[in-house]
Amino acid sequence: MTLRGSRMPVSTTDQRLLEGREPGGWVHSDPWRVMRIQAEFVEGFGGLAELGPAVSVFGSARTRAGHPTYELAESVGAALVEAGFAVITGGGPGAMEGANKGAAEAGGTSVGLGIELPMESGLNEFANLGINFRYFFVRKTMFVKYAEGFVVLPGGVGTLDELFEALTLIQTGKITNFPIVLMGTRFWAPLLDWLRDTLMVEGMLSPQDLDLLRVTDDVAEAVGWIVTAQAERRRVAGFSPGS
């Protein structure tokens, strides 16, 4: 359903789920929300079940066409398709649109996983397979479940959220280790310095945790890391090269 203007709700589905202002009110409403959450999982699993190898690409929604990050996203999307991957993004504008555009114009599967937000109005035009979600945690499951790796372009809070969630899941052994590639050495250098010089020095991060992140400006290098990791996983799992 698409709602615009005065028809836009004043709160999101996630907000209504997580608020608890009326004591006991959840008894009458939250159990029914479970059915909607279940339906979103079913729709997501059904829509992506036959996607094949894919990589999730994240980045700022605020980098418009012509911005260097948008153009980098296009190059990443095209290169991933040429390497045999579908491209998954959040389906929004900016870097997400750039990656979807690059993937679609390269003839590949360009996936957009949208989310209900007051400031966003649907999937970008370059997603040729799109699913809209109400719940962030359902959508996040899809980003991880169907990905062979993450490519993280310069971005803001949402991008950092996806980056650190993936890093946490790998660090804690909740998911199989896959590559997390940070594109843009200048952009990510201050964050990596802080992780190394503050968290690691304070004993809150181990060197092997930081080794889970790779940073580059080279699209071919980034895709190469993901291809190599995919081949190694298949080798360990006993897949033949052509499978």
Side-chain angles (χ1 to χ4, degrees), residues 83-99:
F85 297 101
V87 171
I88 304 173
T89 81
M96 294 176 282
E97 178 182 292

Side-chain angles (χ1 to χ4, degrees), residues 51-56 84-88 146-149 226:
L51 183 61
V55 173
S56 292
F85 297 101
V87 171
I88 304 173
Y146 296 99
E148 299 268 347
I226 295 171

Side-chain angles (χ1 to χ4, degrees), residues 29-162:
S29 59
D30 282 2
W32 290 104
R33 288 194 177 105
V34 172
M35 303 300 291
R36 176 175 282 179
I37 293 166
Q38 180 182 24
E40 288 208 352
F41 273 115
V42 170
E43 183 179 4
F45 292 155
L48 301 175
E50 298 179 359
L51 183 61
V55 173
S56 292
V57 180
F58 302 99
S60 175
R62 304 185 187 194
T63 49
R64 303 302 180 184
H67 189 282
T69 299
Y70 186 103
E71 294 176 352
L72 179 61
E74 285 189 71
S75 298
V76 167
L80 287 170
V81 166
E82 290 165 4
F85 297 101
V87 171
I88 304 173
T89 81
M96 294 176 282
E97 178 182 292
N100 282 136
K101 181 181 179 182
E105 292 184 348
T109 301
S110 177
V111 181
L113 304 181
I115 186 67
E116 175 196 55
L117 291 175
M119 71 288 290
E120 293 190 15
S121 57
L123 299 174
N124 68 67
E125 62 181 299
F126 300 104
N128 51 40
L129 170 57
I131 305 174
N132 277 305
F133 294 92
R134 294 185 177 91
Y135 296 99
F136 260 113
F137 57 89
V138 180
R139 178 187 187 229
K140 287 183 174 183
T141 300
M142 305 304 154
F143 280 134
V144 175
K145 179 174 175 59
Y146 296 99
E148 299 268 347
F150 278 12
V151 175
V152 188
L153 296 138
V157 172
T159 301
L160 293 174
D161 176 49
E162 299 294 352

